[in-house]
Short mmCIF file of all heavy atoms in Angstrom, two decimals:
data_model
loop_
_atom_site.label_atom_id
_atom_site.label_comp_id
_atom_site.label_asym_id
_atom_site.label_seq_id
_atom_site.Cartn_x
_atom_site.Cartn_y
_atom_site.Cartn_z
N ASP A 143 14.83 5.08 -22.80
CA ASP A 143 14.66 6.29 -21.97
C ASP A 143 13.49 6.13 -21.01
O ASP A 143 12.48 5.53 -21.35
CB ASP A 143 14.42 7.51 -22.86
CG ASP A 143 15.73 8.23 -23.16
OD1 ASP A 143 16.79 7.69 -22.81
OD2 ASP A 143 15.66 9.30 -23.75
N LEU A 144 13.64 6.70 -19.86
CA LEU A 144 12.57 6.67 -18.88
C LEU A 144 11.55 7.77 -19.20
O LEU A 144 11.89 8.78 -19.83
CB LEU A 144 13.15 6.90 -17.48
CG LEU A 144 14.09 5.80 -16.97
CD1 LEU A 144 14.78 6.24 -15.70
CD2 LEU A 144 13.31 4.52 -16.73
N PRO A 145 10.29 7.57 -18.76
CA PRO A 145 9.27 8.61 -19.00
C PRO A 145 9.55 9.86 -18.16
O PRO A 145 10.16 9.78 -17.10
CB PRO A 145 7.97 7.94 -18.56
CG PRO A 145 8.39 6.85 -17.61
CD PRO A 145 9.75 6.40 -18.05
N LYS A 146 9.14 10.99 -18.71
CA LYS A 146 9.27 12.25 -17.97
C LYS A 146 8.40 12.20 -16.71
O LYS A 146 7.28 11.68 -16.74
CB LYS A 146 8.84 13.43 -18.84
CG LYS A 146 9.78 13.66 -20.01
CD LYS A 146 9.30 14.81 -20.88
CE LYS A 146 10.26 15.02 -22.04
NZ LYS A 146 9.81 16.10 -22.96
N LEU A 147 8.92 12.74 -15.65
CA LEU A 147 8.17 12.77 -14.39
C LEU A 147 6.90 13.61 -14.57
O LEU A 147 6.99 14.80 -14.90
CB LEU A 147 9.05 13.39 -13.30
CG LEU A 147 8.41 13.56 -11.92
CD1 LEU A 147 8.07 12.20 -11.31
CD2 LEU A 147 9.33 14.35 -11.00
N PRO A 148 5.73 13.01 -14.36
CA PRO A 148 4.49 13.78 -14.51
C PRO A 148 4.36 14.83 -13.40
O PRO A 148 4.69 14.55 -12.24
CB PRO A 148 3.38 12.73 -14.38
CG PRO A 148 4.05 11.41 -14.52
CD PRO A 148 5.46 11.59 -14.05
N LEU A 149 3.89 15.99 -13.76
CA LEU A 149 3.74 17.05 -12.77
C LEU A 149 2.71 16.70 -11.70
O LEU A 149 2.74 17.25 -10.60
CB LEU A 149 3.34 18.36 -13.46
CG LEU A 149 4.42 18.94 -14.39
CD1 LEU A 149 3.87 20.13 -15.16
CD2 LEU A 149 5.68 19.32 -13.61
N ASP A 150 1.80 15.75 -12.05
CA ASP A 150 0.79 15.37 -11.06
C ASP A 150 1.18 14.11 -10.28
O ASP A 150 0.38 13.57 -9.53
CB ASP A 150 -0.58 15.19 -11.74
CG ASP A 150 -0.59 14.08 -12.76
OD1 ASP A 150 0.49 13.48 -13.04
OD2 ASP A 150 -1.67 13.79 -13.30
N ASN A 151 2.44 13.67 -10.46
CA ASN A 151 2.96 12.58 -9.62
C ASN A 151 2.90 13.04 -8.16
O ASN A 151 3.30 14.16 -7.85
CB ASN A 151 4.40 12.30 -10.06
CG ASN A 151 5.12 11.33 -9.15
OD1 ASN A 151 5.51 11.68 -8.04
ND2 ASN A 151 5.32 10.12 -9.61
N PRO A 152 2.39 12.21 -7.25
CA PRO A 152 2.21 12.67 -5.86
C PRO A 152 3.48 13.20 -5.21
O PRO A 152 3.45 14.21 -4.50
CB PRO A 152 1.69 11.42 -5.16
CG PRO A 152 1.01 10.63 -6.23
CD PRO A 152 1.82 10.87 -7.47
N GLN A 153 4.60 12.49 -5.42
CA GLN A 153 5.84 12.98 -4.81
C GLN A 153 6.34 14.25 -5.49
O GLN A 153 6.89 15.15 -4.84
CB GLN A 153 6.94 11.91 -4.84
CG GLN A 153 8.15 12.29 -4.01
CD GLN A 153 9.25 11.24 -4.01
OE1 GLN A 153 9.05 10.13 -4.49
NE2 GLN A 153 10.39 11.59 -3.48
N ALA A 154 6.14 14.34 -6.80
CA ALA A 154 6.51 15.56 -7.51
C ALA A 154 5.73 16.75 -6.95
O ALA A 154 6.29 17.83 -6.72
CB ALA A 154 6.24 15.39 -9.01
N LYS A 155 4.44 16.53 -6.72
CA LYS A 155 3.62 17.60 -6.17
C LYS A 155 4.06 17.94 -4.75
O LYS A 155 4.16 19.11 -4.36
CB LYS A 155 2.14 17.21 -6.19
CG LYS A 155 1.55 17.24 -7.59
CD LYS A 155 0.15 16.68 -7.63
CE LYS A 155 -0.88 17.63 -7.01
NZ LYS A 155 -2.25 17.10 -7.22
N ALA A 156 4.38 16.89 -3.97
CA ALA A 156 4.78 17.11 -2.58
C ALA A 156 6.06 17.93 -2.50
O ALA A 156 6.26 18.71 -1.56
CB ALA A 156 4.96 15.78 -1.87
N LEU A 157 6.93 17.75 -3.51
CA LEU A 157 8.22 18.47 -3.51
C LEU A 157 8.19 19.69 -4.43
O LEU A 157 9.23 20.29 -4.69
CB LEU A 157 9.34 17.51 -3.93
CG LEU A 157 9.65 16.39 -2.92
CD1 LEU A 157 10.74 15.47 -3.45
CD2 LEU A 157 10.07 16.96 -1.57
N ASN A 158 7.00 20.05 -4.91
CA ASN A 158 6.85 21.26 -5.73
C ASN A 158 7.73 21.23 -6.97
O ASN A 158 8.29 22.26 -7.37
CB ASN A 158 7.15 22.52 -4.91
CG ASN A 158 6.27 22.63 -3.67
OD1 ASN A 158 6.75 22.49 -2.55
ND2 ASN A 158 4.99 22.83 -3.87
N TYR A 159 7.85 20.05 -7.57
CA TYR A 159 8.67 19.91 -8.78
C TYR A 159 8.10 20.73 -9.93
O TYR A 159 6.89 20.76 -10.16
CB TYR A 159 8.75 18.44 -9.18
CG TYR A 159 9.32 18.19 -10.56
CD1 TYR A 159 10.68 18.31 -10.79
CD2 TYR A 159 8.50 17.84 -11.62
CE1 TYR A 159 11.21 18.09 -12.06
CE2 TYR A 159 9.01 17.62 -12.89
CZ TYR A 159 10.37 17.74 -13.11
OH TYR A 159 10.88 17.53 -14.36
N VAL A 160 9.00 21.41 -10.65
CA VAL A 160 8.63 22.14 -11.88
C VAL A 160 9.64 21.77 -12.97
O VAL A 160 10.77 21.37 -12.69
CB VAL A 160 8.64 23.66 -11.66
CG1 VAL A 160 7.52 24.09 -10.71
CG2 VAL A 160 10.01 24.13 -11.12
N GLU A 161 9.22 21.90 -14.23
CA GLU A 161 10.10 21.57 -15.35
C GLU A 161 10.97 22.74 -15.77
O GLU A 161 11.87 22.59 -16.59
CB GLU A 161 9.26 21.11 -16.55
CG GLU A 161 8.55 19.79 -16.31
CD GLU A 161 7.72 19.33 -17.50
OE1 GLU A 161 7.50 20.15 -18.43
OE2 GLU A 161 7.30 18.16 -17.48
N SER A 162 10.69 23.92 -15.24
CA SER A 162 11.48 25.10 -15.57
C SER A 162 11.50 26.02 -14.36
O SER A 162 10.47 26.19 -13.69
CB SER A 162 10.89 25.84 -16.76
OG SER A 162 11.49 27.11 -16.91
N THR A 163 12.66 26.62 -14.09
CA THR A 163 12.76 27.53 -12.96
C THR A 163 12.36 28.96 -13.35
O THR A 163 12.35 29.85 -12.50
CB THR A 163 14.20 27.57 -12.41
OG1 THR A 163 15.08 28.03 -13.43
CG2 THR A 163 14.63 26.19 -11.94
N GLU A 164 12.03 29.16 -14.63
CA GLU A 164 11.70 30.49 -15.10
C GLU A 164 10.48 31.02 -14.34
O GLU A 164 9.42 30.39 -14.33
CB GLU A 164 11.41 30.45 -16.60
CG GLU A 164 11.56 31.79 -17.28
CD GLU A 164 11.41 31.66 -18.79
OE1 GLU A 164 11.93 30.68 -19.36
OE2 GLU A 164 10.76 32.54 -19.37
N GLY A 165 10.64 32.15 -13.71
CA GLY A 165 9.54 32.76 -12.97
C GLY A 165 9.20 32.08 -11.67
O GLY A 165 8.20 32.41 -11.03
N LEU A 166 10.03 31.13 -11.25
CA LEU A 166 9.73 30.37 -10.04
C LEU A 166 9.83 31.25 -8.79
O LEU A 166 10.81 31.98 -8.63
CB LEU A 166 10.69 29.18 -9.93
CG LEU A 166 10.45 28.18 -8.81
CD1 LEU A 166 9.07 27.54 -8.94
CD2 LEU A 166 11.52 27.10 -8.85
N THR A 167 8.84 31.17 -7.93
CA THR A 167 8.81 32.04 -6.75
C THR A 167 8.78 31.25 -5.45
O THR A 167 8.51 31.80 -4.40
CB THR A 167 7.57 32.96 -6.78
OG1 THR A 167 6.40 32.14 -6.85
CG2 THR A 167 7.61 33.89 -7.98
N HIS A 168 9.06 29.93 -5.51
CA HIS A 168 9.06 29.15 -4.27
C HIS A 168 10.06 29.75 -3.28
O HIS A 168 11.18 30.11 -3.66
CB HIS A 168 9.44 27.70 -4.61
CG HIS A 168 9.23 26.75 -3.46
ND1 HIS A 168 10.05 26.72 -2.37
CD2 HIS A 168 8.27 25.83 -3.25
CE1 HIS A 168 9.62 25.79 -1.53
NE2 HIS A 168 8.53 25.23 -2.05
N PRO A 169 9.69 29.89 -2.00
CA PRO A 169 10.56 30.54 -1.02
C PRO A 169 11.93 29.87 -0.85
O PRO A 169 12.89 30.53 -0.47
CB PRO A 169 9.76 30.51 0.28
CG PRO A 169 8.65 29.56 0.06
CD PRO A 169 8.39 29.54 -1.42
N ASN A 170 12.01 28.57 -1.12
CA ASN A 170 13.29 27.88 -0.97
C ASN A 170 14.16 27.92 -2.23
O ASN A 170 15.27 27.43 -2.23
CB ASN A 170 13.07 26.40 -0.62
CG ASN A 170 12.45 26.23 0.75
OD1 ASN A 170 12.33 27.17 1.52
ND2 ASN A 170 12.01 25.01 1.05
N PHE A 171 13.61 28.50 -3.29
CA PHE A 171 14.35 28.51 -4.55
C PHE A 171 15.45 29.57 -4.54
O PHE A 171 15.19 30.75 -4.27
CB PHE A 171 13.40 28.80 -5.72
CG PHE A 171 14.12 29.01 -7.02
CD1 PHE A 171 14.80 27.96 -7.63
CD2 PHE A 171 14.11 30.25 -7.65
CE1 PHE A 171 15.47 28.15 -8.83
CE2 PHE A 171 14.77 30.45 -8.84
CZ PHE A 171 15.45 29.41 -9.44
N LYS A 172 16.66 29.12 -4.80
CA LYS A 172 17.79 30.05 -4.94
C LYS A 172 18.08 30.22 -6.42
O LYS A 172 18.32 29.23 -7.12
CB LYS A 172 19.03 29.49 -4.24
CG LYS A 172 18.89 29.30 -2.74
CD LYS A 172 20.21 28.79 -2.15
CE LYS A 172 20.07 28.49 -0.67
NZ LYS A 172 19.26 27.24 -0.45
N PRO A 173 18.07 31.46 -6.91
CA PRO A 173 18.35 31.68 -8.33
C PRO A 173 19.65 30.98 -8.75
O PRO A 173 20.65 31.03 -8.03
CB PRO A 173 18.48 33.20 -8.43
CG PRO A 173 17.60 33.71 -7.33
CD PRO A 173 17.77 32.72 -6.20
N GLY A 174 19.61 30.34 -9.89
CA GLY A 174 20.77 29.62 -10.39
C GLY A 174 20.74 28.14 -10.08
O GLY A 174 21.49 27.37 -10.66
N SER A 175 19.89 27.75 -9.14
CA SER A 175 19.79 26.32 -8.84
C SER A 175 18.82 25.66 -9.81
O SER A 175 17.81 26.26 -10.21
CB SER A 175 19.35 26.11 -7.39
OG SER A 175 18.07 26.65 -7.15
N ASP A 176 19.14 24.46 -10.22
CA ASP A 176 18.22 23.66 -11.03
C ASP A 176 18.65 22.19 -10.91
O ASP A 176 19.65 21.87 -10.25
CB ASP A 176 18.16 24.14 -12.48
CG ASP A 176 19.51 24.13 -13.18
OD1 ASP A 176 20.42 23.41 -12.74
OD2 ASP A 176 19.64 24.85 -14.19
N CYS A 177 17.90 21.31 -11.55
CA CYS A 177 18.21 19.89 -11.43
C CYS A 177 19.64 19.58 -11.88
O CYS A 177 20.30 18.74 -11.28
CB CYS A 177 17.21 19.07 -12.25
SG CYS A 177 15.53 19.07 -11.55
N ALA A 178 20.10 20.28 -12.92
CA ALA A 178 21.42 19.96 -13.47
C ALA A 178 22.55 20.22 -12.47
O ALA A 178 23.63 19.65 -12.61
CB ALA A 178 21.65 20.75 -14.75
N ASN A 179 22.34 21.08 -11.48
CA ASN A 179 23.40 21.29 -10.49
C ASN A 179 22.98 20.82 -9.09
O ASN A 179 23.52 21.27 -8.09
CB ASN A 179 23.90 22.75 -10.50
CG ASN A 179 22.81 23.77 -10.18
OD1 ASN A 179 21.84 23.44 -9.50
ND2 ASN A 179 22.99 24.99 -10.67
N CYS A 180 22.06 19.87 -9.07
CA CYS A 180 21.58 19.28 -7.81
C CYS A 180 22.33 17.98 -7.55
O CYS A 180 22.66 17.23 -8.47
CB CYS A 180 20.08 19.00 -7.94
SG CYS A 180 19.37 18.10 -6.54
N GLN A 181 22.56 17.68 -6.30
CA GLN A 181 23.32 16.46 -5.98
C GLN A 181 22.55 15.19 -6.31
O GLN A 181 23.15 14.12 -6.36
CB GLN A 181 23.73 16.46 -4.51
CG GLN A 181 22.59 16.34 -3.53
CD GLN A 181 23.08 16.09 -2.10
OE1 GLN A 181 24.21 15.67 -1.89
NE2 GLN A 181 22.25 16.40 -1.13
N PHE A 182 21.26 15.27 -6.52
CA PHE A 182 20.47 14.08 -6.81
C PHE A 182 20.35 13.80 -8.31
O PHE A 182 19.78 12.81 -8.73
CB PHE A 182 19.08 14.18 -6.19
CG PHE A 182 19.13 14.33 -4.69
CD1 PHE A 182 18.74 15.53 -4.09
CD2 PHE A 182 19.58 13.31 -3.89
CE1 PHE A 182 18.79 15.68 -2.71
CE2 PHE A 182 19.64 13.44 -2.51
CZ PHE A 182 19.24 14.63 -1.92
N TRP A 183 20.87 14.70 -9.12
CA TRP A 183 20.83 14.57 -10.59
C TRP A 183 21.96 13.66 -11.04
O TRP A 183 23.11 13.84 -10.62
CB TRP A 183 20.99 15.96 -11.19
CG TRP A 183 21.28 16.03 -12.66
CD1 TRP A 183 22.50 16.19 -13.25
CD2 TRP A 183 20.33 16.00 -13.73
NE1 TRP A 183 22.36 16.26 -14.61
CE2 TRP A 183 21.05 16.13 -14.93
CE3 TRP A 183 18.94 15.87 -13.77
CZ2 TRP A 183 20.42 16.15 -16.18
CZ3 TRP A 183 18.31 15.88 -15.02
CH2 TRP A 183 19.05 16.02 -16.20
N THR A 184 21.65 12.69 -11.92
CA THR A 184 22.70 11.84 -12.48
C THR A 184 22.64 11.87 -13.99
O THR A 184 23.08 10.93 -14.66
CB THR A 184 22.58 10.40 -11.97
OG1 THR A 184 21.30 9.87 -12.33
CG2 THR A 184 22.72 10.32 -10.45
N GLY A 185 22.11 12.95 -14.55
CA GLY A 185 21.89 13.02 -15.99
C GLY A 185 23.00 13.66 -16.79
O GLY A 185 22.86 13.81 -18.01
N GLY A 186 24.09 14.04 -16.14
CA GLY A 186 25.18 14.67 -16.90
C GLY A 186 24.71 15.90 -17.64
O GLY A 186 24.04 16.75 -17.05
N ASP A 187 25.04 15.97 -18.92
CA ASP A 187 24.69 17.15 -19.72
C ASP A 187 23.36 17.03 -20.45
O ASP A 187 23.01 17.87 -21.27
CB ASP A 187 25.79 17.41 -20.77
CG ASP A 187 27.09 17.87 -20.13
OD1 ASP A 187 27.04 18.43 -19.02
OD2 ASP A 187 28.15 17.66 -20.74
N ALA A 188 22.61 15.97 -20.17
CA ALA A 188 21.35 15.75 -20.88
C ALA A 188 20.29 16.78 -20.50
O ALA A 188 20.36 17.40 -19.43
CB ALA A 188 20.81 14.35 -20.56
N GLU A 189 19.33 17.00 -21.41
CA GLU A 189 18.23 17.93 -21.11
C GLU A 189 17.25 17.31 -20.13
O GLU A 189 16.59 18.02 -19.36
CB GLU A 189 17.48 18.31 -22.40
CG GLU A 189 18.21 19.34 -23.23
CD GLU A 189 17.39 19.72 -24.46
OE1 GLU A 189 16.16 19.86 -24.35
OE2 GLU A 189 18.00 19.86 -25.54
N TRP A 190 17.11 16.00 -20.18
CA TRP A 190 16.28 15.24 -19.24
C TRP A 190 17.12 14.10 -18.72
O TRP A 190 17.87 13.48 -19.48
CB TRP A 190 15.03 14.69 -19.94
CG TRP A 190 14.04 15.74 -20.32
CD1 TRP A 190 14.08 16.54 -21.41
CD2 TRP A 190 12.88 16.12 -19.58
NE1 TRP A 190 13.01 17.40 -21.41
CE2 TRP A 190 12.26 17.17 -20.29
CE3 TRP A 190 12.30 15.69 -18.39
CZ2 TRP A 190 11.09 17.77 -19.85
CZ3 TRP A 190 11.14 16.29 -17.95
CH2 TRP A 190 10.54 17.33 -18.67
N GLY A 191 17.01 13.79 -17.43
CA GLY A 191 17.82 12.72 -16.91
C GLY A 191 17.32 12.24 -15.57
O GLY A 191 16.37 12.78 -15.00
N PRO A 192 17.97 11.20 -15.05
CA PRO A 192 17.53 10.60 -13.79
C PRO A 192 17.83 11.47 -12.58
O PRO A 192 18.83 12.18 -12.53
CB PRO A 192 18.31 9.29 -13.71
CG PRO A 192 18.96 9.11 -15.04
CD PRO A 192 19.10 10.46 -15.64
N CYS A 193 16.97 11.35 -11.59
CA CYS A 193 17.15 11.94 -10.27
C CYS A 193 16.94 10.81 -9.28
O CYS A 193 15.97 10.07 -9.41
CB CYS A 193 16.12 13.04 -10.05
SG CYS A 193 15.88 13.48 -8.31
N THR A 194 17.84 10.67 -8.32
CA THR A 194 17.72 9.53 -7.42
C THR A 194 16.48 9.61 -6.54
O THR A 194 16.06 8.61 -5.96
CB THR A 194 18.97 9.41 -6.53
OG1 THR A 194 19.19 10.63 -5.86
CG2 THR A 194 20.20 9.07 -7.36
N LEU A 195 15.85 10.76 -6.44
CA LEU A 195 14.63 10.87 -5.65
C LEU A 195 13.38 10.43 -6.42
O LEU A 195 12.33 10.21 -5.82
CB LEU A 195 14.42 12.32 -5.19
CG LEU A 195 14.96 12.66 -3.80
CD1 LEU A 195 16.44 12.44 -3.71
CD2 LEU A 195 14.61 14.08 -3.43
N PHE A 196 13.52 10.34 -7.73
CA PHE A 196 12.36 9.97 -8.56
C PHE A 196 12.71 8.79 -9.47
O PHE A 196 12.77 8.93 -10.69
CB PHE A 196 11.90 11.18 -9.40
CG PHE A 196 11.36 12.31 -8.59
CD1 PHE A 196 12.13 13.44 -8.35
CD2 PHE A 196 10.08 12.26 -8.07
CE1 PHE A 196 11.62 14.50 -7.60
CE2 PHE A 196 9.56 13.31 -7.32
CZ PHE A 196 10.32 14.43 -7.08
N PRO A 197 12.96 7.62 -8.87
CA PRO A 197 13.31 6.46 -9.69
C PRO A 197 12.21 6.12 -10.69
O PRO A 197 11.03 6.28 -10.40
CB PRO A 197 13.50 5.34 -8.66
CG PRO A 197 12.77 5.79 -7.43
CD PRO A 197 12.86 7.29 -7.45
N GLY A 198 12.62 5.70 -11.87
CA GLY A 198 11.65 5.33 -12.90
C GLY A 198 11.23 6.47 -13.78
O GLY A 198 10.44 6.29 -14.70
N HIS A 199 11.77 7.67 -13.52
CA HIS A 199 11.42 8.84 -14.32
C HIS A 199 12.65 9.65 -14.65
O HIS A 199 13.70 9.51 -14.02
CB HIS A 199 10.42 9.73 -13.58
CG HIS A 199 9.08 9.12 -13.42
ND1 HIS A 199 8.67 8.49 -12.25
CD2 HIS A 199 8.05 9.00 -14.28
CE1 HIS A 199 7.45 8.02 -12.41
NE2 HIS A 199 7.04 8.32 -13.63
N HIS A 200 12.50 10.52 -15.64
CA HIS A 200 13.49 11.53 -15.93
C HIS A 200 12.93 12.89 -15.50
O HIS A 200 11.73 13.14 -15.66
CB HIS A 200 13.82 11.57 -17.43
CG HIS A 200 14.87 10.58 -17.81
ND1 HIS A 200 15.30 10.41 -19.10
CD2 HIS A 200 15.59 9.70 -17.05
CE1 HIS A 200 16.24 9.48 -19.13
NE2 HIS A 200 16.43 9.02 -17.91
N VAL A 201 13.80 13.73 -14.99
CA VAL A 201 13.40 15.09 -14.65
C VAL A 201 14.13 16.05 -15.60
O VAL A 201 15.11 15.67 -16.25
CB VAL A 201 13.70 15.43 -13.17
CG1 VAL A 201 12.92 14.49 -12.25
CG2 VAL A 201 15.19 15.35 -12.87
N ALA A 202 13.68 17.28 -15.64
CA ALA A 202 14.24 18.26 -16.57
C ALA A 202 15.51 18.88 -15.98
O ALA A 202 15.52 19.28 -14.81
CB ALA A 202 13.21 19.36 -16.84
N ALA A 203 16.55 18.97 -16.81
CA ALA A 203 17.80 19.60 -16.36
C ALA A 203 17.53 21.01 -15.85
O ALA A 203 18.14 21.46 -14.88
CB ALA A 203 18.81 19.63 -17.50
N LYS A 204 16.60 21.71 -16.51
CA LYS A 204 16.27 23.09 -16.13
C LYS A 204 15.14 23.13 -15.10
O LYS A 204 14.62 24.20 -14.79
CB LYS A 204 15.88 23.90 -17.37
CG LYS A 204 17.04 24.13 -18.32
CD LYS A 204 16.61 25.03 -19.47
CE LYS A 204 17.80 25.60 -20.24
NZ LYS A 204 18.55 24.54 -20.94
N GLY A 205 14.77 21.97 -14.58
CA GLY A 205 13.72 21.89 -13.57
C GLY A 205 14.25 22.13 -12.17
O GLY A 205 15.44 22.45 -11.97
N TRP A 206 13.38 21.92 -11.21
CA TRP A 206 13.74 22.16 -9.81
C TRP A 206 12.69 21.52 -8.93
O TRP A 206 11.53 21.35 -9.34
CB TRP A 206 13.78 23.68 -9.55
CG TRP A 206 14.18 24.09 -8.15
CD1 TRP A 206 15.45 24.34 -7.70
CD2 TRP A 206 13.31 24.35 -7.03
NE1 TRP A 206 15.41 24.71 -6.38
CE2 TRP A 206 14.13 24.73 -5.94
CE3 TRP A 206 11.93 24.26 -6.84
CZ2 TRP A 206 13.59 25.03 -4.68
CZ3 TRP A 206 11.40 24.56 -5.59
CH2 TRP A 206 12.23 24.95 -4.53
N CYS A 207 13.08 21.18 -7.69
CA CYS A 207 12.10 20.82 -6.67
C CYS A 207 12.66 21.25 -5.32
O CYS A 207 13.85 21.60 -5.20
CB CYS A 207 11.75 19.32 -6.71
SG CYS A 207 12.85 18.26 -5.74
N SER A 208 11.81 21.20 -4.30
CA SER A 208 12.20 21.75 -2.99
C SER A 208 13.22 20.87 -2.27
O SER A 208 13.70 21.24 -1.20
CB SER A 208 10.97 22.00 -2.12
OG SER A 208 10.21 20.83 -1.99
N ALA A 209 13.58 19.71 -2.83
CA ALA A 209 14.62 18.88 -2.24
C ALA A 209 16.00 19.23 -2.81
O ALA A 209 17.00 18.60 -2.47
CB ALA A 209 14.34 17.40 -2.48
N TRP A 210 16.04 20.25 -3.66
CA TRP A 210 17.32 20.62 -4.30
C TRP A 210 18.42 20.82 -3.26
O TRP A 210 18.20 21.44 -2.21
CB TRP A 210 17.15 21.91 -5.11
CG TRP A 210 18.43 22.31 -5.81
CD1 TRP A 210 18.83 21.94 -7.07
CD2 TRP A 210 19.47 23.16 -5.30
NE1 TRP A 210 20.06 22.47 -7.34
CE2 TRP A 210 20.48 23.23 -6.29
CE3 TRP A 210 19.66 23.84 -4.10
CZ2 TRP A 210 21.65 23.98 -6.12
CZ3 TRP A 210 20.82 24.57 -3.92
CH2 TRP A 210 21.80 24.65 -4.93
N ALA A 211 19.60 20.28 -3.56
CA ALA A 211 20.79 20.50 -2.74
C ALA A 211 21.98 20.59 -3.68
O ALA A 211 22.06 19.82 -4.66
CB ALA A 211 20.98 19.37 -1.75
N ARG A 212 22.87 21.51 -3.42
CA ARG A 212 23.98 21.73 -4.35
C ARG A 212 24.84 20.49 -4.48
O ARG A 212 25.15 19.83 -3.51
CB ARG A 212 24.84 22.92 -3.88
CG ARG A 212 25.95 23.27 -4.87
CD ARG A 212 26.63 24.58 -4.52
NE ARG A 212 25.71 25.72 -4.54
CZ ARG A 212 25.25 26.31 -5.65
NH1 ARG A 212 25.62 25.86 -6.83
NH2 ARG A 212 24.43 27.33 -5.57
N LYS A 213 25.19 20.21 -5.74
CA LYS A 213 26.08 19.10 -6.03
C LYS A 213 27.41 19.33 -5.33
O LYS A 213 27.97 20.42 -5.40
CB LYS A 213 26.27 19.00 -7.54
CG LYS A 213 26.85 17.71 -8.03
CD LYS A 213 27.02 17.72 -9.53
CE LYS A 213 25.75 17.48 -10.31
NZ LYS A 213 25.26 16.10 -10.23
N ALA A 214 27.90 18.33 -4.63
CA ALA A 214 29.15 18.47 -3.87
C ALA A 214 30.34 18.56 -4.83
O ALA A 214 30.29 18.05 -5.93
CB ALA A 214 29.32 17.29 -2.93
FE1 LIG B 365 15.71 18.10 -9.54
FE2 LIG B 365 17.27 17.74 -7.42
FE3 LIG B 365 14.63 17.86 -7.13
FE4 LIG B 365 15.77 15.76 -8.29
S1 LIG B 365 16.02 16.40 -6.15
S2 LIG B 365 13.94 16.84 -9.01
S3 LIG B 365 17.46 16.69 -9.40
S4 LIG B 365 15.98 19.53 -7.82
#
C-alpha cells in the first residue's frame, strides 16, 4: 500500500486537499463531491486509494481537493 497523502504535502496544500468533506466550506466544493466520484480517483471502492494527481500516495475516498472533476 502507498502512504497516505500528508496534509502538509506542498501540492496537497496548493489544491486544498482534505481527508473529509464534512463541514468543508471551500467555494469550489459542491456537496456530494469527493475523491471517490472524481475522475482522477482509481481506488474503486477502497477507503483510501490512488489519485493520478498525487502519484506515490493514497488519498481518502471521502476526501476532496480543488482539482475535483466529476467522473465521466
Ligand atoms: Fe481527490 Fe480528485 Fe483531488 Fe485526487 S483530484 S485528491 S481524487 S478530489
Side-chain angles (χ1 to χ4, degrees):
D143 267 7
L144 295 170
K146 293 178 180 177
L147 178 65
L149 294 173
D150 62 356
N151 172 286
Q153 190 180 350
K155 287 173 73 173
L157 292 178
N158 303 111
Y159 168 75
V160 293
E161 294 180 347
S162 168
T163 61
E164 202 174 320
L166 186 60
T167 58
H168 191 286
N170 293 351
F171 172 67
K172 297 182 184 72
S175 62
D176 58 21
C177 290
N179 60 27
C180 173
Q181 67 170 341
F182 300 112
W183 167 262
T184 59
D187 291 335
E189 282 182 40
W190 290 81
C193 161
T194 54
L195 266 60
F196 294 102
H199 292 99
H200 275 178
V201 299
K204 292 184 165 66
W206 181 90
C207 87
S208 55
W210 181 90
R212 184 170 299 284
K213 196 181 281 289

